Amino acid sequence: AKNVSADRELRLKKAFGFSERETEIAVMLYDGFNNRQIASALGLSDGTARNYISAIYLKLGCDNRGDAIATMKEALNR
């Protein structure tokens, strides 16, 4: 299963130009983690996690979690 998640990360990274950290966070968003869980899992402050998530939304052209997930899902199903 590790290969599947690595493949997914690579595809999201390529599709949206995410940094390594953004890719990590984007995948967690996609998997349903909330901001606090993401911050805690990665040892970030809530504010820092939020900043990354805003940057991810910007690159996805979305302004909320639901749209962001739908956009990523679409890219992964291509």
Side-chain angles (χ1 to χ4, degrees):
K2 185 65 197 123
N3 291 354
V4 174
S5 75
D7 174 63
R8 183 172 63 167
E9 288 180 23
L10 201 61
R11 287 167 65 194
L12 287 174
K13 194 176 176 192
K14 275 207 189 99
F16 302 109
F18 292 147
S19 70
E20 290 291 343
R21 181 60 105 189
E22 288 168 352
T23 305
E24 233 176 335
I25 292 172
V27 168
M28 293 180 80
L29 278 176
Y30 187 83
D31 287 338
F33 287 82
N34 67 34
N35 294 17
R36 178 152 290 142
Q37 289 168 319
I38 291 170
S40 146
L42 300 176
L44 304 170
S45 73
D46 285 357
T48 302
R50 265 200 309 275
N51 290 342
Y52 277 116
I53 291 165
S54 298
I56 288 165
Y57 287 174
L58 204 62
K59 289 183 179 181
L60 290 171
C62 299
D63 53 19
N64 66 70
R65 205 176 219 90
D67 286 351
I69 290 169
T71 301
M72 287 191 278
K73 195 167 275 180
E74 210 173 278
L76 289 171
N77 291 331
R78 247 177 235 143

